[in-house]
Amino acid sequence: MAGKQIAGHELVPGKTIKDHIHVGGTQFQVPHVLLCGEKEGPTVLITAGIHNAEYIGIQAAIELSNEIDVSELAGNVVILPLVNCSGFENRTMSLVYEDGKNLNRVFPGDKDGSEADRLAHVLFEAFIKNVDMYIDLHGGDGYENLMPFVYYLGDTDCEEIARSMMECVNSDYCVRSRCRTGGAYNLASVHGIPSILIERGQMGTWSREEVEADKTDVRNILKYLGVLPGEHVRYPKTELTEYNYSAPVAGCWYPEKKAGETFSEGEKLGEIRDYFGQSVYTEYAKEDGIVLYQCASLNIVKNGPMLAYGVRLD
Ligand SMILES: [Zn+2]
């Protein structure tokens, strides 16, 4: 651990560092907290607010950064409580305010690109590639209905540890992802860093219960990794493959199910109507499955998110 550096800071045992990192060519100053354990162990990264309207993770990360006691740590915990600050301060939903891009689609980013590309580049170079494990906190976006679940990436060298981290999350379902590009945890996993993405919260709201649930999950994972003392708990899960669908037309959206509801092949899942109330598109289930998350606002955007469901892997 001696001499290890993150974002230009040396990790000195027992030290807590709170700072901002500047993203070159932008106005961005990304807040980060380095909690350096007194004992040796792995370095675990926790990010929130890559999607700035997913508030549960943001609040959980702020609280964890103040509550984790470095004298208890065997290893280091690095927390970025709000990655997309400008989106948060301008109340966009998923998007980076300046360039309108979805930050979690542009990793590894580009130091010469637009604001989101530059932010992703710094996140990867200064933080992600220098850690041993990674937990990314998300939820439903400001217009999305979502059930809690967790993602990990299949077919990687680090899949076994990622699966164990996933089992420490208190949810009934997980998605074994096939997506190897664009997202932060996906890229980290491809680089051999065991990573998961936790989904909890929805519709631009947050509650004490949900924030505590995220914090308990993170602490439970840190116990499994030996970074925090104590016994961890594992939660058995149903593994799913995700299918997601964009809206073919703009209009008014009427979902038939709620997130967490199951359905059978051929069932109607939702309908888009025009502004006279006439149906213009109906979505039917192609297989038996469960709704993971979906658009919950009346308006739906052409080629924007409509519905994502999971199908059992077994
Ligand atoms: Zn998200």
Side-chain angles (χ1 to χ4, degrees):
M1 193 162 65
K4 186 175 174 67
Q5 296 226 343
I6 299 272
H9 301 286
E10 191 171 343
L11 300 183
V12 178
K15 202 172 170 189
T16 297
I17 299 159
K18 299 188 178 191
D19 200 359
H20 296 84
I21 186 168
H22 178 242
V23 178
T26 75
Q27 302 291 314
F28 300 160
Q29 298 280 350
V30 183
H32 54 280
V33 179
L34 309 182
L35 301 158
C36 311
E38 290 183 353
K39 296 177 277 285
E40 290 207 16
T43 297
V44 183
L45 174 65
I46 299 160
T47 60
I50 282 182
H51 291 147
N52 51 274
E54 299 172 1
Y55 300 132
I56 305 303
I58 297 167
Q59 183 59 24
I62 291 171
E63 294 182 17
L64 285 165
S65 74
N66 285 300
E67 291 169 3
I68 290 175
D69 179 356
V70 293
S71 72
E72 281 199 329
L73 290 180
N76 310 293
V77 178
V78 179
I79 301 180
L80 275 62
L82 177 57
V83 173
N84 181 4
C85 285
S86 77
F88 192 84
E89 290 168 1
N90 289 284
R91 198 177 280 136
T92 67
M93 287 192 183
S94 325
L95 308 175
V96 172
Y97 176 68
E98 287 77 4
D99 61 12
K101 289 184 181 175
N102 182 338
L103 181 58
N104 220 28
R105 301 287 180 273
V106 303
F107 281 87
D110 178 356
K111 69 177 174 31
D112 301 314
S114 66
E115 284 81 357
D117 303 307
R118 288 168 188 253
L119 179 54
H121 173 78
V122 166
L123 208 59
F124 185 70
E125 291 297 321
F127 296 97
I128 294 172
K129 77 173 197 187
N130 301 311
V131 301
D132 301 306
M133 292 92 184
Y134 176 31
I135 304 165
D136 192 16
L137 303 177
H138 284 253
D141 208 331
Y143 59 92
E144 275 175 342
N145 168 223
L146 174 138
M147 73 162 189
F149 66 100
V150 53
Y151 287 101
Y152 75 99
L153 183 63
D155 299 320
T156 69
D157 295 340
C158 57
E159 185 174 343
E160 204 175 307
I161 298 173
R163 279 183 55 91
S164 295
M165 291 165 67
M166 166 279 277
E167 286 173 5
C168 293
V169 174
N170 188 358
S171 68
D172 295 330
Y173 294 91
C174 71
V175 169
R176 186 174 194 266
S177 175
R178 300 158 294 178
C179 174
R180 305 180 83 80
T181 57
Y185 92 93
N186 313 76
L187 181 68
S189 305
V190 169
H191 279 77
I193 300 162
S195 303
I196 60 166
L197 186 157
I198 301 174
E199 295 273 15
R200 180 176 285 116
Q202 57 175 358
M203 298 293 296
T205 60
W206 68 281
S207 68
R208 176 51 37 204
E209 292 73 20
E210 290 166 302
V211 169
E212 292 300 329
D214 255 17
K215 286 163 59 181
T216 302
D217 284 344
V218 170
R219 285 204 180 90
N220 196 35
I221 295 165
L222 293 175
K223 287 176 189 168
Y224 155 69
L225 295 171
V227 175
L228 277 179
E231 293 297 311
H232 71 282
V233 184
R234 298 216 189 195
Y235 300 91
K237 286 184 181 49
T238 302
E239 291 214 31
L240 305 170
T241 298
E242 178 180 343
Y243 295 88
N244 62 63
Y245 297 95
S246 301
V249 289
C252 299
W253 165 243
Y254 303 90
E256 287 285 316
K257 306 281 179 188
K258 292 197 169 66
E261 269 189 72
T262 57
F263 53 81
S264 305
E265 182 183 345
E267 267 193 73
K268 181 179 170 182
L269 297 179
E271 187 176 341
I272 301 173
R273 298 182 197 146
D274 66 17
Y275 310 129
F276 299 105
Q278 300 301 306
S279 180
V280 291
Y281 178 78
T282 304
E283 181 73 24
Y284 295 100
K286 293 167 187 72
E287 298 176 75
D288 296 355
I290 181 168
V291 177
L292 293 168
Y293 57 93
Q294 62 184 348
C295 180
S297 59
L298 181 60
N299 72 318
I300 198 156
V301 176
K302 185 179 179 182
N303 299 325
M306 181 172 70
L307 172 74
Y309 61 75
V311 173
R312 292 173 75 109
L313 268 179
D314 49 34

